[in-house]
Amino acid sequence: MSESSTAGQESPELSALRTEIDEAGQRARRSFEPGHRTAVIGAGMLLLVLGMVLPWAGDSSGLDVLLSRVPPELGVGILPQVFAATVLLFGLVVSGVALAVRRWGLAWLSLIGCGHSIFEGMLAIWTRQTAPGAPGPGIGLLITVVAIAVITLQWVKIAWSRD
């Protein structure tokens, strides 16, 4: 009977240890460990930067498209600009922060934002292909779409790996 009465009462040291273990478990549940996918996402981010400096329409780079410094005769609309902005926001900024702090919420935000960027990238390619009398999509635009697709695939694997 003395065992059951002492089991209900914890010493302050044991109570503090239990609290510390519970807090460590909470921190572990909020974070992820990307492993080798960090290198793949990093390589994809490097390809995004490369794609942004290569031509998207005629001789205009992705940065020119983003900053609206494209000659009007190229017929670049708003979709490539939006794609360039979301690629920089989600592909570089949010993904970089998510890899640095390794929080599940940021991993999901990166996944959703990069996945949406794929859709916008396909629309940007389509607008370049259907613009009358304008050059088609440049190599930089194509590289950027492939790079954001690779990054998105890695975020899918990371976000869904939580036990």
Side-chain angles (χ1 to χ4, degrees), residues 32 34-49 90-92 94-100 107 110-111 114 147-159:
F32 64 87
H36 72 280
R37 290 186 177 86
T38 303
V40 178
I41 292 172
M45 292 167 76
L46 197 61
L47 279 176
L48 286 179
V49 172
F90 292 107
L92 293 178
V94 176
S95 291
V97 171
L99 286 176
S110 295
L111 168 61
C114 291
I148 200 71
V150 168
I151 292 171
T152 302
L153 179 63
Q154 297 308 308
W155 282 121
V156 166
K157 292 177 182 178
I158 290 171

Side-chain angles (χ1 to χ4, degrees), residues 34-160:
H36 72 280
R37 290 186 177 86
T38 303
V40 178
I41 292 172
M45 292 167 76
L46 197 61
L47 279 176
L48 286 179
V49 172
L50 177 67
M52 290 298 287
V53 298
L54 289 174
W56 279 27
D59 289 334
S60 300
S61 70
L63 292 175
D64 292 334
V65 170
L66 176 66
L67 300 173
S68 299
R69 296 187 303 198
V70 180
E73 60 269 8
L74 290 178
V76 175
I78 189 80
L79 287 174
Q81 284 182 309
V82 172
F83 173 61
T86 58
V87 159
L88 289 178
L89 176 64
F90 292 107
L92 293 178
V93 175
V94 176
S95 291
V97 171
L99 286 176
V101 299
R102 298 184 179 188
R103 295 285 185 223
W104 282 105
L106 286 173
W108 278 99
L109 182 61
S110 295
L111 168 61
I112 292 167
C114 291
H116 180 74
S117 295
I118 294 173
F119 174 71
E120 290 174 350
M122 298 307 289
L123 286 176
I125 290 173
W126 175 74
T127 61
R128 296 304 317 142
Q129 291 175 334
T130 59
I139 188 71
L141 180 58
L142 300 174
I143 287 173
T144 304
V145 171
V146 170
I148 200 71
V150 168
I151 292 171
T152 302
L153 179 63
Q154 297 308 308
W155 282 121
V156 166
K157 292 177 182 178
I158 290 171
W160 285 100

